[in-house]
Amino acid sequence: MDELGYKPTILSVGQAKEKAKEMSSRIFDMIGVANGKTTEPGPGVSECSEDPKRLYKVRHVWSVYGVSMGELSQGFDRVRQKLPVNGWKITQYGPNESKARDLRILADSSEDRYTVNIELLDGSKPGNAPSASKESGIMVSLVSACFRLPDGADLHGEY
């Protein structure tokens, strides 16, 4: 697996999805917005181009919403403070590339090969929330590095 620059962990798709759920749950706890609503979709799987028959990555995209912008801002500050003490290295912090220039945290897990992108979206800013509700929220996008299927497993039969 030289083209990846690391040896991928061997995990079944089910195990990798559970790992992503656990990591997302820890991030949710760090945000600490108890009264917020969260989106429901679970982790998804996609092939890694280096070896699409045996390598795959997991993505878990979700958001917290339904509370005031003040509560969301506090949650965003909490997660920014707690990520480093929970094994994450913040690689980028500041305005994102959107017209609204919302705050963004990009961090890598030092324990596992995961990257997380966390954005504080202010629905009242022009350029945000294409829906009519213009709801504010914290959007989380967790992505793994490539995992390797156990020998004999078929990725397309797994997801």
Side-chain angles (χ1 to χ4, degrees):
M1 306 295 161
D2 294 330
E3 52 216 39
L4 291 174
Y6 62 91
K7 184 177 179 172
T9 302
I10 298 172
L11 277 181
S12 73
V13 170
Q15 291 170 317
K17 284 182 171 183
E18 280 304 310
K19 179 80 172 161
K21 284 181 193 175
E22 289 169 21
M23 294 188 82
S24 283
S25 180
R26 284 187 243 146
I27 291 167
F28 176 78
D29 290 345
M30 286 182 237
I31 292 169
V33 177
N35 297 323
K37 299 174 188 173
T38 57
T39 52
E40 290 300 319
V45 176
S46 60
E47 301 168 343
C48 291
S49 60
E50 294 82 359
D51 185 352
K53 291 189 188 296
R54 296 186 344 192
L55 297 177
Y56 66 96
K57 62 178 68 174
V58 177
R59 285 184 171 76
H60 193 193
V61 179
W62 52 276
S63 59
V64 178
Y65 63 98
V67 294
S68 71
M69 192 60 202
E71 287 179 81
L72 292 168
S73 293
Q74 290 172 2
F76 189 80
D77 287 341
R78 267 191 300 276
V79 76
R80 184 171 62 89
Q81 293 167 12
K82 290 182 177 186
L83 282 168
V85 296
N86 284 279
W88 292 85
K89 180 182 180 194
I90 294 177
T91 58
Q92 187 177 359
Y93 171 74
N96 65 14
E97 304 299 318
S98 74
K99 213 185 279 188
R101 307 288 290 156
D102 289 306
L103 284 179
R104 169 187 188 195
I105 299 167
L106 200 57
D108 294 326
S109 170
S110 50
E111 186 177 312
D112 302 291
R113 285 192 163 89
Y114 279 86
T115 296
V116 67
N117 178 40
I118 305 170
E119 296 188 38
L120 177 62
L121 304 177
D122 182 346
S124 68
K125 288 183 177 179
N128 268 347
S131 69
S133 70
K134 300 249 184 226
E135 187 138 30
S136 299
I138 297 173
M139 190 174 111
V140 178
S141 179
L142 179 74
V143 181
S144 74
C146 294
F147 291 115
R148 184 173 174 267
L149 285 171
D151 289 341
D154 175 18
L155 182 61
H156 298 289
E158 294 271 340
Y159 71 96

